[in-house]
Amino acid sequence: MSLFQPLPKYKISSRNKTLDLSKPHVMGILNVTPDSFSDGGQFTAIDKAVAHCQKMMQEGATIIDIGGESTRPNADTVATRDEVQRVVPVVRSIREHCGNDIWLSIDTSNPAVMQAAFEAGADIWNDVRALKREGAVALAAKLNIPVMLMHMRGEPTTMNGLAQYNNVVSDVRSELIARIENVTNLGVKAEKIIIDPGFGFAKNYDHHCALLSQLNELQTLGLPMMFGISRKRFLAEILTNSGVATVATTQAVERDAVGTAAGVFALQQGACIIRTHNVPMMQQAVALWSQLSEYTQL
C-alpha cells in the first residue's frame, strides 16, 4: 500500500466561498502578539502584518491564521480590548489590501474577539480551547463559519500537569469525540468542524511521538484535520534525542526542517491543512507529496 493516498474529499464553506480540502493547504501563521514564542513582536505593526501576509500568499499559503494572544505554556491571558485592538485592524487591512480570496483564520478563544474579527472579514475560528469559553458555542452556531476544535486539557498555565493518558491516541480521539458531540448538540453544524490533535498542548515527548505515528486513527472521526506543530519544543527534543542538536542551541527557526518533515507525515495520515511559520518550505514539501500521490491513482 502506498503512503501517498489521496486525501478524503472534504470541503468547508464560509460566507460565499468554498475551500476544497481534498487537496492539502498551507496555513501561514501571523502572530500579532508581543510575546509569541517564535516571532513575538515582529508583526505587531499593521503595515508589517499586511506585508507578511502578502509574502505568505505569494509563497503559496491559502489560509492565514492571525493570533493576538500567545498560548505558549504559562502564557498570561490577554484582556479582550487588547486582543481586539491587535487583531481586528489587521484583519480589516488585509481585506483592504489583499482582497477576499485569501482565507483568514482567527486564533482566539474569546467570543468577543471572534465576533469583531468576523465583522472585519474573518472566515474561520481557530480555537485552542475548543469553544469552551462562555458564549463561544452559541456564537459559532450563529456565525455558521468553520471552526477548528483543538484537543487540550486545562489552560496554558495548567496543561503540562494534565499530560497523563492511558493511551494518548485513543484518549485524544475519545475526548475530541465528546467535544464534537457537545458542540453539535448545541447547534454547531458538523460540516463546519475541523479537528486539531493539539500538538504542544497537554502532551509530553512520548505522547507526541505516539500521536504523530498514529495520527491516521483520527480519520475515523470523519472530519477534516488541521496539523500544527511548527517550531514547537517537541521538534527540538527530536533533534536533541537524535544527537543532531541541543536544546540550548536550537532556536525556534532552526526547527523548520524537522517540522516540515512532520507535516509530510501528517499529510500521509489524512491531515489536509498544515499550519506553519515557514510557508515556502512547507509548500515545497506539499508539492512533492501532491505529485507523488497522483501517481498512486495511475
Side-chain angles (χ1 to χ4, degrees):
M1 176 180 173
S2 172
L3 292 174
F4 300 95
Q5 298 299 310
L7 292 173
K9 295 187 180 299
Y10 297 123
K11 62 181 180 180
I12 54 171
S13 60
S14 186
R15 300 180 185 271
N16 295 316
K17 56 189 179 184
T18 300
L19 191 64
D20 178 9
L21 298 180
S22 66
K23 62 180 182 179
H25 292 270
V26 174
M27 170 190 273
I29 298 170
L30 179 56
N31 288 321
V32 291
T33 57
D35 58 344
S36 290
F37 76 95
S38 172
D39 53 5
Q42 291 186 33
F43 308 113
T44 53
I46 295 175
D47 58 341
K48 290 184 178 179
V50 172
H52 191 53
C53 174
Q54 292 171 327
K55 179 176 180 289
M56 291 191 289
M57 290 172 63
Q58 292 168 358
E59 293 167 343
T62 50
I63 309 170
I64 304 297
D65 192 40
I66 304 168
E69 178 184 31
S70 175
T71 52
R72 73 189 191 285
N74 301 311
D76 294 328
T77 302
V78 176
T80 297
R81 180 178 178 180
D82 292 341
E83 193 176 352
V84 167
Q85 289 178 341
R86 291 173 184 177
V87 170
V88 172
V90 170
V91 173
R92 190 177 294 118
S93 190
I94 287 174
R95 280 288 175 242
E96 179 183 350
H97 293 93
C98 303
N100 293 320
D101 289 343
I102 185 68
W103 286 70
L104 299 183
S105 166
I106 306 301
D107 184 357
T108 186
S109 298
N110 190 319
V113 174
M114 189 63 233
Q115 176 71 58
F118 174 79
E119 292 171 2
D123 303 296
I124 300 172
W125 190 347
N126 178 15
D127 187 358
V128 300
R129 295 176 178 85
L131 304 180
K132 290 180 181 177
R133 285 196 172 163
E134 183 177 356
V137 175
L139 179 63
K142 174 186 173 183
L143 296 181
N144 196 33
I145 59 174
V147 58
M148 296 180 177
L149 301 181
M150 193 193 78
H151 176 271
M152 178 173 67
R153 290 176 172 178
E155 291 285 328
T157 53
T158 62
M159 62 184 179
N160 287 342
L162 300 173
Q164 293 122 17
Y165 301 90
N166 292 321
N167 179 299
V168 66
V169 179
S170 61
D171 288 354
V172 167
R173 181 180 178 277
S174 63
E175 289 171 28
L176 279 172
I177 289 173
R179 191 62 194 145
I180 292 163
E181 290 178 349
N182 182 271
V183 302
T184 53
N185 287 339
L186 293 173
V188 176
K189 296 177 181 177
E191 61 265 28
K192 296 294 184 180
I193 296 174
I194 300 165
I195 60 170
D196 176 355
F199 284 87
F201 293 83
K203 298 167 188 72
N204 63 27
Y205 178 82
D206 290 332
H207 298 146
H208 283 123
C209 287
L211 193 56
L212 181 55
S213 67
Q214 302 172 64
L215 202 58
N216 61 305
E217 293 294 326
L218 299 185
Q219 286 199 61
T220 58
L221 275 64
L223 294 168
M225 186 191 316
M226 189 271 279
F227 178 77
I229 205 170
S230 182
R231 297 184 180 176
K232 292 186 178 178
R233 182 177 178 84
F234 163 64
L235 301 173
E237 293 171 340
I238 288 283
L239 299 178
T240 303
N241 289 350
S242 65
V244 174
T246 66
V247 172
T249 59
T250 303
Q251 300 300 312
V253 69
E254 296 175 326
R255 305 167 192 170
D256 285 350
V258 65
T260 299
V264 173
F265 294 144
L267 286 173
Q268 290 175 347
Q269 298 180 78
C272 53
I273 300 172
I274 309 296
R275 184 178 183 271
T276 182
H277 295 84
N278 193 326
V279 171
M281 186 179 290
M282 193 67 243
Q283 188 63 33
Q284 288 182 21
V286 166
L288 173 62
W289 182 91
S290 299
Q291 290 294 306
L292 294 178
S293 65
E294 289 184 9
Y295 278 85
T296 65
Q297 305 174 53
L298 296 181

